[in-house]
Every structure is written in C-alpha cells, then in structure tokens.
Amino acid sequence: MTNQAFVEGQVACIRESVGGALAINALSGGVDSAVVTVIGHRALGDRLKTIFVDNALMREGEPARVAQVFGGMGIPVQIVDARREFLDALRGLTDPEDKRNAVTSTFYKQVFGKIVRESGATHLLHGTILTDIEETVDGIKRQHNILEQLGIDPEKEYGYRVLEPLKTLRKDSVRAVARVVGLPADVSDRMPFPGPALATRIVGEVTAERLETVRRATAIVEEELAGTEAFQYMAVLLNDKATGIRGGRREFGQIVVVRCLHSVDARTATSVDLNWAVLHTICDRITAIPGVNRCLYDITPKPPATIEYV
Amino acid sequence: MTNQAFVEGQVACIRESVGGALAINALSGGVDSAVVTVIGHRALGDRLKTIFVDNALMREGEPARVAQVFGGMGIPVQIVDARREFLDALRGLTDPEDKRNAVTSTFYKQVFGKIVRESGATHLLHGTILTDIEETVDGIKRQHNILEQLGIDPEKEYGYRVLEPLKTLRKDSVRAVARVVGLPADVSDRMPFPGPALATRIVGEVTAERLETVRRATAIVEEELAGTEAFQYMAVLLNDKATGIRGGRREFGQIVVVRCLHSVDARTATSVDLNWAVLHTICDRITAIPGVNRCLYDITPKPPATIEYV
C-alpha cells in the first residue's frame, strides 16, 4: 500500500467511525499527533477540535511553534494552559511510574477529559504507533496513550471512543506519511518526544525550577546536535549531585546527561559516536547553567538501557 | 635540586626529627605513600613500621599487590583487616563530607590510632603533597591527611608528630622521586587514588554490595584503559537509577560513570577524547555487571567539576 493510499484509507475510516458526530484530538508537538491532526481534519474538517495542552513539561517555545505550523496549514489549534495542574500533580513524586501516571492521569481525568466532556465529542483521535503497543504488551513501558492495551475501557471510563489511525505504523512510516500529507520538514523529521515530555527527562522530583534547568539543557543539546543525522537526542537531569569547584570554591552541583541515538524505529538504539569538539561545546554550555557542574554522555545502547530514563 | 638530592635531604630530615625513637606510616597503595615508605625505611630501617589497612574500600587484589611490591624490596608491611570497622562507620551515610569524615575518623581514631598507640611510635610519616594542601587551603576539598591544615593538633589529639616529606611536591615530581628510589614502574606511574578510596566512587550510601559493584566496574575501566596515556581513569557508581530492558522485561537499574582525565598535577584536568570502540567495549562489560544497565562517560573538565564525585 502506498502512503497516499494509507492516508485515504484512514480518512475514510475516520469518516465512517465518527459519522455525523464530533471528534477531538490532542496535539503534543510530535510527528505522531501532528499526522493524526492533519488526517483527522481532512476527514472531518470543522468537526475535529484539536487541543494543545501546555503541561509545563514542554520544550522551549513549543506552544508558539505548534500554533505557527498549524495556523500556516489552516488548521485551528486551541492552546490550553494547564501548567499549574501538572506541577501540582507531580509534586513530591520520585518513582518513574508514579510520575508517568501523574502526567497521564492529570491529562486524561482532569485537563483533557474535562475539555472532551464539554466539547460534546464522541470520538478521540490518538497518535498511538505500533512500537507503543509492542512495548506495552512486552511490559517494557507503560505508554500514556494506549488505554485499551491496559485493560481500561475508554468509553466506559472517559465517555468516548478512541481511534488510533497510526497503530499499524512504526516511526519511519509515520514520517513518510507526514511528508505525504504536507507537513513541513521540521515536523515530519522532528525527533520523537515522549508524551510525559520533560517529566521523563528528570530523575527525581519534577519541579518548576528543575524543569527550567532541563529545558535550558535540552535547548542547548537540540541546537548543537541539529546537524546530526541522529534519530533522537536529549538532555536528562539526574537527582544525584557531585562535588565541583566554581570561582575557586567547593560546590555541590547538579548533573546533566546528554543522550544521542541512532535508531530506525525506537525498538533498539545505539549511542552515536559524536564529534568530541561538539561534546565539549555542549559540556561548556550546559555547565554554565546555574547549579549544574557536570555533563555526562550516555553511551548505553537499548537494550539494556531504554531511550528515556523515567 | 635534583631528585636524588631531594631524597637525601628528606632522609636526613627524618633521621634528625625522629632521633632514636620509632616511627610509623600507613601505605595506601598509591605512589605518595609508597615513596614515603621507601624514604622512611632508608632513613630509619627497622625503626619505621609500615601498615597497610584493608578498609574494604580498596580495588581488586590491592592488599596482595602491595605485599608483593614491598616484599620484593625487602620492606616489611603489616596488613591489618579493618573491613568491618569501615563498613560499620559508613552505614547510612550519604553526604560526601560525612562519608569522607567517617573514613578519616575510623582510620585515625579507631584503627590506625590504636596501632600507633600500641606501637610506641612518636612520629607518623604522611604522604601529603602540595596539591592536597593548596586544595584544602582553598576550601575545595577536605583532604583526609592534612590534619594540621584543618586546625587539628595531631600531637595533642592523636599523640604523635606528623612528618610530611612530600609536602613541597606535586604529583609529577613525586613520580620522578619514585623512580629515583627504585620503586617499580607500576607504582611510580600508578595513577592517583584517593585516600577514602572507593568510598569516593559511590554517590549515596557505601555498602559491601555497592562496593563490589564499583570494584568490578573499576577493574574493567583500569583494564580497558591501561594503554592510554591518561593521568587518571575511574568508575563511579551513582545513586540514581534509570529504566532499562533486560531479557525483554522492564528493569530499574544502576548507573556507572566512567571518567578518564588528562592532567599534570590534578589542579586542573580535561576529559580525554577516548576511542569510541574502547568506550563501547567498556559499556558492554559494565552493563553486564548484575544490576547495572547504564554507562555514562563524564566529559566535564576540572573546573567546574572535581576529579572525584564525593
């Protein structure tokens, strides 16, 4: 099947499922939800409402970037500021599962769930891809967006039906479809970014201050590695601290990990042998962030590591 | 002054200070205390008693190696097993200063202090070097072996006088002196290893199990990097954990950091641009240690980081 035929098939399928009713979807800024948004609008037009939730866990400038890309394609996106709800839910949590669950639960039950109920939508379009399903089935990861895989009946629990147009595709196919539906290259080639966003890039408690630290480190890594052919690159803030020297005095500082991976579909991945000069530049810039005095490069493949830390 | 003249001067100085009395010194396995041992024995012969304390924090095979080197030079070394005392003192401690203080205090007040009192020695020979003094004065580090710099009067507190024959030298000069006094190359060129030993290579609590993990990682790093011209290389066990996959199942694993540095005298240092194939081999071997699923390479110079983490 060509990518064009895939898109037409999914457009038809969404039209048939939704009928004359309303649908809703959430846009995260990643390629999966972007493709779902375009296919959904092609199928339903104004009967699809697209929401972008600012969860305080986004990368620098993300809400503005999303509004610009979809505004340029004539697709309206409603931006919802829910930063306080997410930060409140994450306060005091350090266990990775608890943190992911807090983000999922705040999103579905509190923020997006409320919007869905008020919207009158009967269908939710979701950007689940095949790798998400495989990893959830394998018990490797609890994906935030595969409720059915977890034995949750979304219609009963949340009051709507979930459609997953991309659930037969892996990441490389999603990118090809993104190009076919006319998304700009900086979206179609945009590297994966997890649903719980920067909360998965912080080991230990997620606070506004620690988010600001990892957000700055993330911007540095993305800027310095933009020219690489890597599948994904990121910055992670650890909870551990280490000794250091600043201005001739001893200090106890934070540690940022840089990760840059080759992968086709995220099922397996290997660390990229980066240019050392680039790594030293990244280190210099990251250790200039207040409170950070160590920069480490993760050389572990997946497996035995995962791509994310949380 | 030539290195030979330096040695002769220190031999004379030790003889004059100790007079007809007895002296004692502790050998750690590093080049500093090894040089002090040889100079001290040259000055005092049988009137210097040399002690090697097994503090449970040593690298693999260290006590046997030390006995072999000094036995070969006709210098007797008494090995004291104090593993339980140190592990008891470290239990539950996570703060770097508390951990360093526990090791220092157990060594001086409990283990070595007792041996000194029973020995009848009036003088203690110590391997303090100039960098230790500078960093303690600058407040960067609390060195374990510079009691006087910290306002502690060792004669009053511990009952003996401290002699520091190497306190005017930096590490490169100590190595040159080591060659002059006939120490084998694997001692004279041996990289620096901190007094609190593997306790400085563990972020968080130091336990027998965690020591075994970092000891195995240290042996791997030392084996794989033996051919490099680096000043120092090491493995550090973090307290943080990260997600991973093992045998297709999700696991929450430990993180080991590899550090390899260029330096002349430990005052400043830069991360070595290692061969990537070597780094990947190290990573494969380290993530085969039970419970470890991440391997990171520290790219931070000193400053703003220090060489050690604790």
Side-chain angles (χ1 to χ4, degrees):
Chain A
M1 183 166 56
T2 66
N3 291 321
Q4 190 57 50
F6 172 85
V7 171
E8 285 164 13
Q10 289 303 320
V11 166
C13 180
I14 293 168
R15 273 192 193 131
E16 189 180 319
S17 298
V18 178
L22 301 176
I24 193 165
N25 81 309
L27 188 56
S28 70
V31 64
D32 303 338
S33 65
V35 169
V36 167
T37 299
V38 178
I39 293 179
H41 275 272
R42 200 170 286 186
L44 305 172
D46 289 347
R47 288 187 294 116
L48 174 64
K49 186 172 184 178
T50 296
I51 306 289
F52 177 89
V53 174
D54 184 352
N55 58 9
L57 312 174
M58 297 285 159
R59 283 172 288 189
E60 237 167 53
E62 194 78 348
R65 198 189 62 83
V66 164
Q68 190 199 341
V69 166
F70 290 89
M73 296 178 79
I75 296 174
V77 174
Q78 182 186 339
I79 295 179
V80 175
D81 181 357
R83 289 176 292 180
R84 202 166 55 78
E85 285 86 341
F86 282 87
L87 289 176
D88 285 351
L90 284 162
R91 186 173 300 132
L93 303 183
T94 55
D95 179 83
E97 283 298 289
D98 291 348
K99 282 154 62 175
R100 282 186 173 261
N101 289 345
V103 174
T104 306
S105 169
T106 304
F107 184 82
Y108 283 104
K109 298 198 177 168
Q110 196 173 340
V111 179
F112 192 57
K114 190 174 164 226
I115 293 166
V116 171
R117 282 190 300 277
E118 293 174 0
S119 73
T122 56
H123 289 71
L124 170 67
L125 272 50
H126 224 302
T128 319
I129 69 170
L130 184 54
T131 313
D132 299 330
I133 295 174
E134 288 171 335
E135 296 209 328
T136 301
V137 170
D138 288 347
I140 292 161
K141 195 187 275 187
R142 174 172 172 158
Q143 282 293 337
H144 68 294
N145 53 359
I146 321 172
L147 304 169
E148 282 174 323
Q149 306 300 327
L150 298 164
I152 297 171
D153 177 345
E155 194 164 2
K156 191 170 158 201
E157 187 148 346
Y158 302 108
Y160 43 86
R161 277 196 63 201
V162 175
L163 302 179
E164 297 170 323
L166 311 182
K167 71 180 171 192
T168 58
L169 306 184
R170 293 213 174 86
K171 191 63 85 177
D172 47 344
S173 304
V174 176
R175 294 195 193 287
V177 171
R179 287 178 211 112
V180 162
V181 298
L183 278 162
D186 79 315
V187 174
S188 64
D189 299 340
R190 194 163 178 79
M191 64 185 163
F193 192 65
L198 294 179
T200 65
R201 305 281 167 83
I202 293 178
V203 177
E205 189 180 4
V206 177
T207 66
E209 190 184 1
R210 304 193 77 212
L211 280 164
E212 185 52 31
T213 300
V214 80
R215 185 176 287 118
R216 288 179 67 170
T218 300
I220 291 166
V221 169
E222 293 191 355
E223 199 178 308
E224 296 292 339
L225 297 184
T228 66
E229 297 289 303
F231 176 76
Q232 199 170 0
Y233 36 86
M234 63 185 77
V236 177
L237 179 62
L238 297 185
N239 197 41
D240 284 332
K241 291 187 168 189
T243 57
I245 316 173
R246 188 86 62 174
R249 302 299 300 175
R250 183 190 162 96
E251 70 166 19
F252 203 43
Q254 298 194 85
I255 305 170
V256 168
V257 178
V258 175
R259 188 145 170 75
C260 180
L261 296 161
H262 285 309
S263 180
V264 174
D265 56 17
R267 285 186 299 172
T268 63
T270 54
S271 175
V272 177
D273 299 350
L274 286 175
N275 179 293
W276 284 106
V278 171
L279 273 174
H280 294 310
T281 300
I282 289 174
C283 176
D284 289 347
R285 294 185 62 189
I286 282 179
T287 56
I289 298 172
V292 178
N293 67 10
R294 293 262 175 180
C295 184
L296 315 178
Y297 185 62
D298 189 340
I299 54 177
T300 329
K302 171 184 181 179
T306 44
I307 290 176
E308 304 289 344
Y309 274 57
V310 170
Chain B
M1 184 166 54
T2 65
N3 291 321
Q4 189 56 50
F6 172 84
V7 171
E8 285 164 15
Q10 289 304 320
V11 165
C13 180
I14 292 168
R15 274 191 193 135
E16 189 182 318
S17 297
V18 177
L22 301 176
I24 194 165
N25 82 309
L27 188 56
S28 72
V31 65
D32 305 338
S33 66
V35 169
V36 167
T37 299
V38 178
I39 292 179
H41 274 272
R42 199 169 287 185
L44 304 173
D46 288 347
R47 289 186 294 119
L48 175 64
K49 187 172 184 178
T50 296
I51 306 290
F52 177 89
V53 173
D54 184 352
N55 57 10
L57 312 173
M58 297 284 158
R59 284 172 287 188
E60 238 167 53
E62 194 77 348
R65 199 189 61 85
V66 163
Q68 190 199 342
V69 167
F70 289 90
M73 297 179 77
I75 296 174
V77 174
Q78 182 186 340
I79 295 179
V80 174
D81 181 357
R83 289 175 293 179
R84 201 167 55 78
E85 286 87 340
F86 282 87
L87 289 175
D88 284 352
L90 284 161
R91 186 173 299 131
L93 303 184
T94 56
D95 179 83
E97 282 299 289
D98 291 347
K99 282 154 61 176
R100 281 187 173 261
N101 289 345
V103 174
T104 306
S105 168
T106 303
F107 184 81
Y108 283 104
K109 298 198 176 167
Q110 197 173 341
V111 179
F112 192 55
K114 189 173 165 227
I115 293 166
V116 171
R117 281 190 299 277
E118 294 174 358
S119 72
T122 55
H123 289 71
L124 170 67
L125 271 52
H126 224 304
T128 319
I129 68 170
L130 184 54
T131 313
D132 298 331
I133 296 175
E134 289 171 334
E135 296 208 328
T136 301
V137 170
D138 288 349
I140 290 160
K141 195 187 274 186
R142 172 170 171 160
Q143 281 293 339
H144 68 295
N145 54 359
I146 323 172
L147 305 169
E148 282 174 324
Q149 307 300 325
L150 298 164
I152 297 171
D153 177 343
E155 195 163 2
K156 193 171 156 198
E157 188 148 346
Y158 301 109
Y160 44 83
R161 278 196 63 199
V162 175
L163 301 180
E164 296 170 323
L166 310 183
K167 70 180 170 190
T168 59
L169 305 184
R170 293 213 173 86
K171 191 63 87 180
D172 45 346
S173 305
V174 176
R175 294 196 195 285
V177 171
R179 286 177 212 113
V180 162
V181 299
L183 279 162
D186 79 315
V187 174
S188 64
D189 299 341
R190 193 162 177 81
M191 66 185 163
F193 192 63
L198 295 178
T200 65
R201 305 282 168 82
I202 293 178
V203 177
E205 189 181 3
V206 177
T207 66
E209 190 184 1
R210 304 193 77 212
L211 279 164
E212 185 52 31
T213 301
V214 81
R215 185 175 288 119
R216 288 179 67 169
T218 299
I220 291 166
V221 169
E222 293 190 356
E223 198 178 309
E224 295 292 341
L225 297 184
T228 66
E229 297 290 302
F231 176 78
Q232 199 170 0
Y233 35 86
M234 63 185 78
V236 177
L237 179 62
L238 297 185
N239 197 42
D240 284 332
K241 290 187 168 189
T243 57
I245 316 173
R246 187 88 61 173
R249 302 300 301 174
R250 181 191 163 96
E251 69 166 19
F252 203 41
Q254 297 195 85
I255 306 171
V256 168
V257 178
V258 175
R259 187 145 172 75
C260 180
L261 296 163
H262 284 309
S263 180
V264 173
D265 56 17
R267 284 187 298 173
T268 62
T270 54
S271 174
V272 177
D273 299 351
L274 286 174
N275 179 295
W276 284 105
V278 172
L279 273 173
H280 294 310
T281 301
I282 290 174
C283 176
D284 288 348
R285 294 186 61 190
I286 283 180
T287 56
I289 298 172
V292 178
N293 67 10
R294 293 261 177 182
C295 183
L296 316 178
Y297 185 61
D298 189 339
I299 54 177
T300 329
K302 172 185 179 178
T306 43
I307 290 176
E308 305 289 344
Y309 274 56
V310 171

